[in-house]
Amino acid sequence: MPAPPSGQEKSRSRSWHRYRRHVVWDATVWVFFLVIPLIQLLFGSFAQWQRLLGIAGVMGFIVAYVWAFSIQDPQAVRAGDPLPDLPIRALLGKLAGPILFSLMALPALGWWTAYFFPFFCSLVLFFTTLRRGLPTVITAVTLLTAASLSWNTHPESRWLVLGAALSGLTIVIARIAVELQERRASAERELALVSQREELGRDVHDILGHSLTVLTLKAEVARRLIERDPAAASRELDEVITLARGALADVRSTVTR
């Protein structure tokens, strides 16, 4: 029979659980599209240092992006929870890794580095409120499009950059859809809460109404009997106490439920 874990082992286990992360796969599955620049780097004509630096940049970007879309405490993730609204410093911390690896791939990919642009849009939009993220992404889309039209002289990569910019707009649409879904879910939760409160109010009203009516009748009977038959009056008062305690227990049970 194995020995129970020591205090130090338990502490180490709790520490590992604290830093374990849960990947949001529905947000990170899109990194498979980065296979395209990887294939280009593997089979294209590049200098050896450019090829190695570009491959390292793409692979590092994938890891950094998946890490950015991971959550520290999986138990804190529940369906219908609002999206996070990170402060600027925290958002820049999530963007720092992808930016660094994008710069590593830039010497080899050139304008093809625009493959990374939709992922940056996703990070900005899904880690801030729509009011903060939407102007930022719209501005970035406009600047990227203007830069490509002004300075990109390669027709093939120019169309790629325009496609990346348009994909940023599709992420905007997806983010707006998520926002509407959140608001609808919030309204549904509020309606459910109001319904529960109304049901609770009806239950408490029924319990107290019935119990107080019986208690009033019992008290009146005890008052009439207190001089003629004290023993009977005492029994009625005992029943009043029992009924009061039962009503109190019913109210507590209903509120707890």
Side-chain angles (χ1 to χ4, degrees):
M1 180 177 179
S6 63
Q8 185 178 1
E9 291 176 345
K10 289 182 178 179
S11 176
R12 189 181 300 114
S13 177
R14 286 195 295 269
S15 178
W16 164 249
H17 179 75
R18 183 184 306 167
Y19 293 105
R20 188 179 61 187
R21 302 179 77 88
H22 169 71
V23 177
V24 183
W25 289 109
D26 57 348
T28 57
V29 68
W30 304 102
V31 296
F32 289 109
F33 282 102
L34 294 178
V35 170
I36 298 175
L38 273 179
I39 293 175
Q40 183 182 2
L41 288 167
L42 287 171
F43 300 103
S45 56
F46 299 97
Q48 189 66 14
W49 69 270
Q50 287 182 325
R51 189 189 313 275
L52 294 177
L53 196 62
I55 292 174
V58 174
M59 297 303 297
F61 183 92
I62 292 173
V63 172
Y65 181 80
V66 172
W67 182 262
F69 261 111
S70 61
I71 298 171
Q72 187 111 8
D73 184 8
Q75 296 178 352
V77 183
R78 294 183 297 271
D81 280 357
L83 293 175
D85 181 22
L86 296 182
I88 296 297
R89 181 178 299 179
L91 180 62
L92 290 177
K94 284 186 175 291
L95 292 173
I99 290 174
L100 174 63
F101 290 112
S102 298
L103 294 176
M104 287 177 59
L106 182 61
L109 292 179
W111 284 101
W112 290 79
T113 313
Y115 265 111
F116 299 135
F117 180 75
F119 297 93
F120 285 108
C121 294
S122 181
L123 282 170
V124 172
L125 285 171
F126 285 93
F127 282 105
T128 60
T129 60
L130 196 59
R131 182 178 299 179
R132 290 174 56 196
L134 187 58
T136 304
V137 170
I138 294 297
T139 302
V141 168
T142 304
L143 292 176
L144 179 63
T145 303
S148 178
L149 293 176
S150 300
W151 295 304
N152 190 359
T153 57
H154 300 85
E156 185 178 353
S157 60
R158 177 180 293 181
W159 285 110
L160 166 73
V161 174
L162 293 178
L166 288 177
S167 65
L169 295 179
T170 62
I171 296 173
V172 168
I173 295 173
R175 177 64 178 88
I176 293 174
V178 171
E179 183 80 10
L180 295 175
Q181 183 179 0
E182 282 183 355
R183 293 184 180 182
R184 184 166 55 250
S186 177
E188 291 175 353
R189 289 195 299 268
E190 187 65 27
L191 288 175
L193 183 59
V194 170
S195 176
Q196 290 175 1
R197 288 174 177 171
E198 291 178 351
E199 182 182 358
L200 176 63
R202 287 193 300 268
D203 292 344
V204 172
H205 177 270
D206 293 341
I207 292 171
L208 290 180
H210 173 73
S211 300
L212 291 176
T213 300
V214 176
L215 289 173
T216 302
L217 294 174
K218 289 287 186 181
E220 290 178 354
V221 171
R223 183 178 182 182
R224 294 193 187 100
L225 294 175
I226 197 168
E227 293 181 358
R228 291 184 299 165
D229 192 349
S234 178
R235 288 193 298 270
E236 293 293 336
L237 290 175
D238 289 340
E239 292 184 12
V240 167
I241 294 172
T242 302
L243 288 171
R245 288 175 176 170
L248 182 60
D250 290 340
V251 170
R252 286 176 176 171
S253 175
T254 301
V255 173
T256 301
R257 175 178 58 81

